[in-house]
Amino acid sequence: NVDRLEHGELDVAVTSVTPGRRSLAATPIGHKRFVLVGPPQLVPDHPFPSLADLGSWLVGRPWVAYSAELPMTRRFWLSALGRPFHSDLRLVAPDLRAVAAAVAHGLGVSLLPEFICADALARGSVVEVHPVADVVPGEPWFACTRLADLGREQVNRFVADLALPGPG
């Protein structure tokens, strides 16, 4: 999408990294938080006393992910749980909506951006396994535009509308 933006095929591209190209500007518009979710029938109905207990419970559980490389999942397991990833990877789907749907259908647990599973959490088709937002680093969102378009009122208004209100 950044290439298409740079070539004038798009006016705005939303990315999780700044593009690092001189012809493009990146405006922070929000922050992506992560949630550890699972199907209600798989998740215990009692909270885990600690991350170590959560880690022990997760070992060997079915897991669903968007990438076979599991970059965010592996970082979570190592940094938050203090152990390498050791679950049963049941499904890899390169679309986060498909991953959320797979969790809702009982295929396993996953670490997902909150906005992807917010509706499913509200409906109860997935549940939060354990609060991890404080131990999983979030990722920023940027609205990228061409520098030449910074003077276009419509583009500026659109980017301003994308920005999420801050806390408070």
Side-chain angles (χ1 to χ4, degrees), residues 63-81:
W63 197 270
V64 183
Y66 70 92
S67 163
E69 290 78 28
L70 305 166
M72 181 61 69
T73 297
R74 290 186 191 284
R75 276 194 304 266
F76 164 68
W77 278 68
L78 282 173
S79 65
L81 304 178

Side-chain angles (χ1 to χ4, degrees), residues 8-94:
E9 296 174 40
L10 300 174
D11 291 323
V12 178
V14 176
T15 65
S16 60
V17 295
T18 57
R21 299 181 186 184
R22 290 186 210 196
S23 62
L24 301 178
T27 304
I29 59 169
H31 205 73
K32 177 171 51 171
R33 292 172 37 105
F34 290 89
V35 182
L36 181 64
V37 293
Q41 66 273 20
L42 179 66
V43 178
D45 58 0
H46 57 81
F48 293 96
S50 69
L51 286 171
D53 291 316
L54 170 65
S56 295
W57 181 82
L58 285 172
V59 169
R61 298 276 174 208
W63 197 270
V64 183
Y66 70 92
S67 163
E69 290 78 28
L70 305 166
M72 181 61 69
T73 297
R74 290 186 191 284
R75 276 194 304 266
F76 164 68
W77 278 68
L78 282 173
S79 65
L81 304 178
R83 60 177 66 200
F85 176 76
H86 191 70
S87 277
D88 179 14
L89 185 58
R90 293 274 176 95
L91 176 74
V92 174

Side-chain angles (χ1 to χ4, degrees), residues 125-140:
S125 57
V126 302
V127 294
E128 187 173 24
V129 175
H130 187 81
V132 296
D134 292 338
V135 295
V136 175
E139 293 179 350

Side-chain angles (χ1 to χ4, degrees), residues 81-115:
L81 304 178
R83 60 177 66 200
F85 176 76
H86 191 70
S87 277
D88 179 14
L89 185 58
R90 293 274 176 95
L91 176 74
V92 174
D95 182 313
L96 290 171
R97 294 166 298 192
V99 172
V103 172
H105 283 91
L107 291 176
V109 175
S110 191
L111 185 62
L112 291 170
E114 185 175 41
F115 72 92

